[in-house]
Amino acid sequence: MFGRFLKPRWQHANPDIRLKAVEQLDLCEDATLLNQLARGDASALVRAAATGRLTDFAALDEVHQRDEAPSVREAASMRIMALLAGTTDDAPNSDTRLRLIRLTGNENALAHVASHSPDMHSRMAAIERLKDEGVLYQLALDAPTEALRVASVQNITSLSLLKRLGKEGRDKRVTRLARDQARALQQQQQQNEQETAKVYHLADRLEQHARRRVDALYGPQLEQLEQQWQQLTRQATPDLASRVQQALHQCRNQLTELQEQTRQQALAETAKAEREAAAHSLYQLLSQATPETWDHQLGEMRSALATQRRRWDSADEQSQALDEDRLAFSDLVTAFEQLLALAADINAAESPDVLTELAERWPDEYQPPSALLALRSQKAEAADANTTKETRPSQPAQPHRGLLVALKRELRQGNLRHANRLWHKAQSIIDSDGDALLDAELAKLAPRRAELQDWHRFAAEPKKVALCESMEALKDTSMDAPELATAIQALHDEWRALMSSDQGEDQALWARFKEASDQAYEPCHAHFAELDAIKARNLEKRRALCQQLEGFIAAQNWETADWHGVWQIRQQAPKDWKALHPIRFTDGRDVQKHFSSLLTQLDEQLNGYIEKAESERQQLLDQARALTELDDAQHATREAQAIQKRWRQSAWLPPGQHRALQKPFRKTMDALFDARNRDIAARREQQAEASQRLATHIEALEASLAQPFSDDTANSLRNAAATVDEHLDGNQPQPLARKAQQLKRRASERLQQLSRWQQWQQLRDAVAALPESAGSPDEPDSDTNADAALTLAVAFEALAGVPSPEPERQRRLQWQLEQLPSAMKQQQFDAREEMQRLLKQHQAPVSAGVKARLDSAIAVLEPGNA
């Protein structure tokens, strides 16, 4: 019951008492309370007083930024400046103030510290941070010490202020420093103007360069101009920089076009050369093809044809060939393919009739296969036999005629290797069958074979000796094992190309070559042995990896599996498998199949899980998309937030599938929240409009309150207050609503005094209706009336509490002693009612001066016009 009497003074309803309580609070013990009062007290005076005693810079900054009362903000600003300057007893220590000064950017606070701080270090720190050159100029003139004045001058960058200081400075050092800085600043400005002129000149040159024709010097000149621009970039204005960048862009485009044209031209020339080389290679293959080529190298010919076709197609993709060139190459390929097919049919022919038919289709300009050569030889010999049949004696048939024809052809064409093979075959027939005719034919061909052998020895033997020397040189080489093995294999390939199928002739050199090859290959044994060991270890590691993966799959409970971990293992396993390389292919086939089957099992489980998780995410996405059709944006947003929470709690998905669903989901969420934001913005706009209307009506109410009170203004005031109440819905800003409530309260209080004002107005009208005296004051009745009128005037003035003229003070005192005590004893004393009573008792005329005094006294008592 008595709690309201026990409240502390700072909670008192009277702001004056709270103000006094603030002044008595202790800074250390009541810091939190001062902070609370500074931020939330209803009275601006109390807030200002509490702010003036705060020591927390964060709280002071908040009050300075947010309080609506200018006096409170000013108190916070002054307190901050006093604390930083150290002009109060409760200011922070010097180190703290220095740190805060070096952090603040408040120009007013810095200026105050530089001008008023008793600490020289604080002043210097503030001057170093000051940017207001007007303040720096005053400090350079009026600072108490030379060091402060010099520091102020050093921070001034205005040429005009420096010149003024050079003339108006108090001491020589300041004036000299100001003049030196002004001189340096002028030189810098001149240099900047010169560099700006260079930038303008460079911009003109670049624009001219952009308009010139591109030639061989275009690129180097552009590079020089770009280097010059890099040196002058800082001096360029935004407009100049834009001009230069546009010109550079145009120059680079032209240079790029030239380079692209050159590249395309070079590409076209290279492609043309490649196409011509491919066609030439095919022509050369056909023209150099021998019967042995058609007999035994059809596969190599097909590979060569495919290679040259790919070569042509690759070049044609880079640069399109002319239609006639493409048609000519197509005809060449077609002819090549037809010859290959015809040669294959000839080699596979089993009857002379088929061979004869195919021989008619073989073109004369290319050497035919051996079978066609034999057929042609038989036909020629048959023709010779028919012409000399009568003169020649009959000879026995030769069963090995084809072998002899082929042997003769090879010897005639100089193919010693194939001739030796056929010769050894015929020699074996003679040894087994004792064919005398075949032996006689070989004896006839022996000189030609011996001749070819001599030529082969003459041509091949130096090459074989060189190959032996090359192989022997590899014994002391520093090449690594793989490179050395490749070199040895290449020498063996060259040796095989020089073989004549006569082992006796090649045996001596072959033994030398083979011995050198074995010795050169000796360092490779260890390498390839180590390589085999590495392959074996990798194979075992792959088997171990399969076992680990198999064990992992078997141990999984797929209902509660860590699918993220499973997916990571599925991604990492192939990488680990690939890292276990090299490996022997034949040994690793079974392990590879096992590994692939394990990956397939993982994929089946993962795909099932991913499909289920994607379905769940898709349902959430569909629900989110359905929300976009709702009209209530707020409700849609609330539902969207719930869906977002469920989305975050949904099952894990691999990154690829997650991104595929996350992107449309985020887009849908953005659309929903954008709609909510548009709705909020519309409501805020409506509230702003309502607040503006309310502010307009508040201004009208303020205008009505400012007018003198009357019946007309009372109606206007009543209407204005009703209008404000009509537009006050509780959604307006708090300061505006508070102001409206205050004005409504004032209007209500004024309107409550309407009856008293009407009573006052009647009193005033009654005074105005009093008759004015027109008689002479010398008449006895006139003296009596005047005395009564003067008594009435001093009575009105006493009741209104206004002073009476000096001559009437005695009359007023007498009236007060006689009349006022009895009047005040009344239970409800009212001055206006007393005036009305006095007027009713006074019926005599009054003078104009008395009437004016009566009216002035009544005016003081007008209700409603505070």
Side-chain angles (χ1 to χ4, degrees), residues 363-376:
D364 296 332
E365 60 268 23
Y366 300 114
Q367 292 193 32
S370 300
L372 290 187
L373 284 176
L375 181 63
R376 290 176 182 177

Side-chain angles (χ1 to χ4, degrees), residues 16-140:
D16 295 334
I17 296 177
R18 294 202 305 274
L19 183 61
K20 292 180 180 179
V22 167
E23 296 173 355
Q24 297 173 359
L25 290 175
D26 186 79
L27 291 177
C28 298
E29 297 179 357
D30 301 322
T32 304
L33 180 56
L34 286 171
N35 195 340
Q36 177 182 345
L37 292 172
R39 296 183 182 183
D41 196 275
S43 173
L45 290 175
V46 176
R47 294 201 304 276
T51 300
R53 302 196 65 197
L54 290 177
T55 58
D56 185 358
F57 283 89
L60 286 169
D61 185 69
E62 181 179 354
V63 173
H64 182 263
Q65 296 292 334
R66 298 185 179 181
D67 199 283
E68 61 185 13
S71 60
V72 180
R73 295 197 298 271
E74 181 65 18
S77 177
M78 295 299 294
R79 181 62 172 171
I80 291 173
M81 291 189 290
L83 290 173
L84 287 177
T87 56
T88 62
D89 296 335
D90 51 355
N93 58 43
S94 177
D95 292 339
T96 303
R97 285 188 282 109
L98 283 174
R99 180 175 57 83
L100 293 173
I101 290 169
R102 293 189 178 104
L103 291 176
T104 186
N106 189 325
E107 289 292 314
N108 293 331
L110 291 172
H112 182 83
V113 173
S115 301
H116 300 91
S117 177
D119 182 13
M120 184 62 65
H121 297 292
S122 298
R123 283 194 170 196
M124 293 294 290
I127 289 173
E128 290 175 0
R129 294 280 296 166
L130 262 175
K131 303 299 182 185
D132 189 342
E133 297 202 343
V135 176
L136 290 171
Y137 174 79
Q138 291 298 325
L139 289 170

Side-chain angles (χ1 to χ4, degrees), residues 576-637:
D576 294 344
W577 181 272
K578 189 176 181 180
L580 298 173
H581 182 80
I583 194 168
R584 194 181 300 276
F585 175 74
T586 54
D587 296 340
R589 276 183 287 194
D590 294 338
V591 182
Q592 180 68 49
K593 291 179 181 178
H594 186 201
F595 182 73
S596 299
S597 66
L598 294 174
L599 292 184
T600 302
Q601 296 178 36
L602 275 181
D603 289 338
E604 289 176 355
Q605 298 294 339
L606 273 172
N607 292 337
Y609 164 77
I610 291 172
E611 182 179 354
K612 181 179 179 181
E614 281 183 332
S615 175
E616 179 184 354
R617 294 277 186 100
Q618 188 63 46
Q619 290 178 1
L620 293 175
L621 178 58
D622 294 340
Q623 294 175 11
R625 285 173 173 167
L627 294 178
T628 59
E629 306 296 331
L630 298 179
D631 295 333
D632 189 351
Q634 294 295 329
H635 174 68
T637 304

